[in-house]
Amino acid sequence: MSRKIYEVRDVSYTYPTGKTALKDISMEIYSGEIVAVVGPNGAGKTTLLKILDGLIFPQKGEVRFMGKPLTEEVLTDEKEMAWFRSRVGFLFQNPDIMLFSPTVLEDVAFGPLHLYDREKALAITESIMKKLGIYHLRDRHPYNLSGGEKKKASIAAVLALDPEVILLDEPTRDLDLKNRNYVLELIQELRDSGKTIVMATHDLRAIRLADRCYIINTSLVFSGTPRELFSREDLLENANLEIPEIIRLLRMVGIDEVPLTLDEAASLLKERMNGSFFPTVEKIPQQTQIKD
Amino acid sequence: MSKLIDKTVEEVVSFIQEAVFSERYAGKEGFLQGLDPRAKLAALLISISVVVGVKHITTLLFLYSIPLIMAALSKVPLGYFVRRVWVFVPVFTGIIAIPVIFNVITPGKALFVIWNSPYIAVTKEGLHAAGIFTLRVATAVSYAILLTITTKWNDVMKGLSDFKVPGMVVTITTLTYRYIFLLTSILVDSMHSRKSRLCRKLGMIESWKEAGKNIGAVFIKTQMIGEDVYYAMLSRGYLHTAKSLNDFRFRKRDALFLALTVILMVGVFMGDRWFI
């Protein structure tokens, strides 16, 4: 069994306006898994991620990170804070919020500079920028970058801390197809390298990458696998999601199983039709994924 | 009128974005750029203290000439520098300086009578007082702007941290700097969004009302975003102290610059008090 990273017990959070954002949420997150947090707009997904990042604290309930309670008092201690911040990275939904320095280099270096000495911070920063292919943007003003470049710069800013846990808030939002694919591939790579990922998302392709998913709509509505989620129309409706078209197609031809990739869908179809009706199915490139 | 507001906002926003965020001249190789930010900060404090303390217009004119020379030595175009200073000066001084020119506030020899009953006139003494005040503000602002033009913002903040300025002050200043850009971007976006949905020409009062609503909405949005900017900083390990990629080294030339500033400023102050 993997190591328990987060333990969230009966967490409730109410905004200063009096509106309840989260009510009695309980969940567990284990090392090396991708967890998708799904729900309609305003369901409290971002609030939950902020709580997991120790930016805000629940009025009720408890959050534990690697066995330690995650409270305001604990994070006031500089040593504890540095320990926690170097282990958890948070990619905000809006890159403009994360990019606040005069150059991309300084922005990416912001985190490392607060944790390491100057030389080490610079080395880490340059290395991550080269890895993500944005080193040529080092002297550019972050506000003048394209949407995709901004996203890459903000991802670099998070990865520069080399966190074990990465919290992603709508990581593929507002991106064109190429950049979206880039982010999805990166998420997979991060998981392969042993990172734990918690992402709030509406993107069906991103949900498909998850090992487990939670639907929240102020309270916890569902906890299970993406396959279970896609097989239940009521849950998808609750999360303001649509059934992927390929699953709809399979249902139209009387197949109730839920494929997560095109390859799976093709196999199901071939199996049902004995290969005779879909001679071109074999030509579908391998690793092609379901598009929502 | 609506067009006037729109144009003004766009110009102000593009000026702020260019002026505050470009850091175009901070990266150049010039006289001030080569100095330790701490030496520049100390020199700024000394210079501004003297600017505030001197009494004569000739001394102020001399003091005003120093940042102009420094700007030229630091490869900052004079036209750009003077414009940046004088854009802000009316904002700071206008409300105070304008009433001072009238006999009601500063009695004296009337130069220009505006109204006979009640008697309101512009006085020579009033103009002199307003002139000195404006020049004093312009000179002080020149020194401050010269520092920010020739020094990267993070280095200014790190310099303040090194001077033991409380972390909360550094945080608030840092946040303000980061926040201004978002505020201005949102303001322009929301103005454009309003413009794109406007199907008829608004009257003056109506357009002012709309502008008021727009400003209110922008402030609500930026309050939320400002909070997130702070969270984004915290999330990346921010500990209420400024950090910079640049290594500060206080060298001989920094010490010499600071010593010369002290000698010059003390000399100017004494000359203003006892010789002019």
Side-chain angles (χ1 to χ4, degrees):
Chain A
M1 182 100 178
S2 303
R3 187 165 50 120
K4 199 186 281 177
I5 298 287
Y6 276 108
E7 193 176 355
V8 178
R9 284 280 158 264
D10 303 320
V11 158
S12 297
Y13 184 86
T14 306
Y15 295 124
T17 54
K19 185 181 177 268
T20 304
L22 298 170
K23 198 176 169 210
D24 298 327
I25 299 283
S26 294
M27 58 172 59
E28 282 166 356
I29 288 152
Y30 294 92
S31 161
E33 67 174 351
I34 298 183
V35 173
V37 179
V38 186
N41 291 334
K45 303 186 294 293
T46 301
T47 305
L48 178 65
L49 291 188
K50 282 181 181 168
I51 288 174
L52 294 181
D53 198 32
L55 297 173
I56 55 175
F57 301 92
Q59 287 95 352
K60 198 185 134 232
E62 187 190 38
V63 180
R64 283 184 165 268
F65 176 75
M66 292 186 177
K68 290 184 180 182
L70 195 60
T71 61
E72 204 163 2
E73 293 74 47
V74 170
L75 288 183
T76 313
D77 182 82
E78 271 194 27
K79 229 174 161 185
E80 290 289 338
M81 188 178 174
W83 178 83
F84 177 74
R85 296 283 171 228
S86 61
R87 276 162 184 78
V88 182
F90 186 8
L91 183 75
F92 282 68
Q93 199 178 107
N94 178 1
D96 279 331
I97 280 167
M98 294 193 63
L99 305 173
F100 39 59
S101 301
T103 64
V104 175
L105 181 80
E106 284 172 84
D107 239 321
V108 177
F110 182 87
L113 272 174
H114 279 88
L115 294 172
Y116 312 114
D117 63 58
R118 204 184 70 89
E119 280 71 29
K120 191 177 173 190
L122 190 61
I124 290 170
T125 304
E126 291 186 336
S127 141
I128 196 74
M129 287 180 78
K130 282 176 187 161
K131 196 175 162 193
L132 292 187
I134 55 165
Y135 191 67
H136 62 287
L137 303 174
R138 67 197 299 273
D139 295 322
R140 288 268 300 275
H141 198 289
Y143 299 112
N144 296 331
L145 304 178
S146 70
E149 287 170 338
K150 277 184 189 177
K151 191 57 113 182
K152 281 184 189 171
S154 47
I155 290 172
V158 172
L159 296 185
L161 295 166
D162 193 25
E164 283 177 58
V165 181
I166 302 168
L167 309 170
L168 305 169
D169 194 1
E170 301 281 3
T172 54
R173 201 186 114 172
D174 298 333
L175 293 179
D176 61 28
L177 191 63
K178 194 178 163 197
N179 283 307
R180 201 168 147 210
N181 286 341
Y182 171 85
V183 171
L184 291 173
E185 277 166 27
L186 186 72
I187 292 172
Q188 214 151 7
E189 269 174 41
L190 289 170
R191 189 248 301 268
D192 294 344
S193 65
K195 307 282 184 200
T196 306
I197 293 162
V198 184
M199 60 178 162
T201 185
H202 281 115
D203 187 337
L204 295 175
R205 288 177 64 195
I207 297 170
R208 193 193 58 81
L209 294 178
D211 299 297
R212 291 188 301 122
C213 54
Y214 288 97
I215 297 181
I216 59 166
N217 195 353
T218 306
S219 311
L220 190 63
V221 176
F222 165 82
S223 158
T225 63
R227 208 180 290 275
E228 285 166 339
L229 170 67
F230 290 141
S231 66
R232 285 184 54 186
E233 243 173 279
D234 58 323
L235 290 175
L236 290 168
E237 201 174 307
N238 204 317
N240 275 6
L241 294 173
E242 270 195 338
I243 301 176
E245 284 188 346
I246 190 71
I247 297 175
R248 289 221 303 264
L249 173 72
L250 291 184
R251 286 193 184 163
M252 283 161 78
V253 296
I255 301 172
D256 287 330
E257 281 161 82
V258 177
L260 288 182
T261 63
L262 264 190
D263 295 334
E264 277 184 39
S267 303
L268 284 169
L269 280 169
K270 274 203 282 187
E271 213 174 275
R272 174 60 67 97
M273 309 299 181
N274 295 323
S276 57
F277 292 99
F278 296 92
T280 56
V281 156
E282 280 160 7
K283 289 181 186 166
I284 295 171
Q286 290 294 303
Q287 301 302 319
T288 313
Q289 295 159 354
I290 294 173
K291 301 225 167 89
D292 52 339
Chain B
M1 185 57 80
S2 175
K3 206 173 172 185
L4 176 74
I5 298 170
D6 288 359
K7 268 276 171 227
T8 310
V9 171
E10 271 174 37
E11 286 297 318
V12 168
V13 165
S14 75
F15 177 79
I16 290 175
Q17 291 185 347
E18 200 281 328
V20 182
F21 294 93
S22 71
E23 297 205 339
R24 197 193 311 162
Y25 301 108
K28 282 200 171 184
E29 281 186 17
F31 173 66
L32 286 173
Q33 291 89 333
L35 294 172
D36 187 306
R38 291 167 298 183
K40 287 189 273 185
L41 268 171
L44 171 76
L45 288 176
I46 296 164
S47 306
I48 288 184
S49 306
V50 173
V51 168
V52 171
V54 297
K55 290 176 176 174
H56 298 93
I57 209 157
T58 42
T59 318
L60 275 173
L61 282 170
F62 173 72
L63 286 171
Y64 181 64
S65 70
I66 294 172
L68 296 180
I69 296 165
M70 292 286 178
L73 289 173
S74 308
K75 295 179 183 162
V76 177
L78 279 181
Y80 169 81
F81 177 55
V82 171
R83 246 193 344 267
R84 266 199 69 173
V85 172
W86 287 95
V87 157
F88 290 111
V89 168
V91 179
F92 290 124
T93 62
I95 300 164
I96 303 165
I98 291 170
V100 170
I101 65 174
F102 299 107
N103 64 322
V104 185
I105 308 285
T106 320
K109 189 183 169 194
L111 290 178
F112 179 70
V113 178
I114 296 171
W115 204 267
N116 278 319
S117 177
Y119 183 70
I120 296 172
V122 174
T123 64
K124 190 183 169 190
E125 288 75 7
L127 271 182
H128 183 258
I132 283 218
F133 177 70
T134 308
L135 189 58
R136 198 188 300 282
V137 173
T139 308
V141 171
S142 295
Y143 281 97
I145 284 187
L146 189 59
L147 172 85
T148 55
I149 286 180
T150 57
T151 318
K152 292 191 171 184
W153 185 254
N154 279 352
D155 292 345
V156 176
M157 289 300 107
K158 188 169 181 276
L160 289 177
S161 285
D162 287 356
F163 279 138
K164 306 289 173 215
V165 170
M168 199 44 78
V169 176
V170 174
T171 301
I172 291 169
T173 318
T174 309
L175 269 174
T176 309
Y177 173 81
R178 279 155 189 179
Y179 183 73
I180 288 171
F181 192 90
L182 283 174
L183 177 81
T184 52
S185 300
I186 290 172
L187 188 64
V188 171
D189 282 351
S190 94
M191 215 172 65
H192 287 162
S193 119
R194 186 173 61 96
K195 204 192 265 179
S196 77
R197 286 176 286 156
L198 206 62
C199 304
R200 65 184 173 90
K201 214 174 170 185
L202 296 178
M204 192 179 79
I205 294 173
E206 219 177 349
S207 71
W208 278 103
K209 276 185 185 169
E210 284 302 318
K213 281 187 217 164
N214 201 7
I215 290 167
V218 165
F219 272 104
I220 293 168
K221 277 184 210 164
T222 47
Q223 189 224 338
M224 292 190 287
I225 288 175
E227 197 173 67
D228 274 347
V229 170
Y230 179 61
Y231 286 150
M233 289 165 71
L234 270 189
S235 173
R236 281 150 71 190
Y238 181 66
L239 293 168
H240 300 278
T241 51
K243 305 275 180 179
S244 170
L245 274 173
N246 297 332
D247 202 9
F248 286 3
R249 267 177 298 169
F250 200 85
R251 289 159 295 189
K252 272 183 192 163
R253 63 176 171 184
D254 300 308
L256 188 66
F257 169 74
L258 202 52
L260 284 175
T261 305
V262 173
I263 292 166
L264 179 70
M265 289 300 157
V266 170
V268 168
F269 186 74
M270 288 167 70
D272 181 75
R273 287 291 157 116
W274 290 291
F275 301 111
I276 298 179

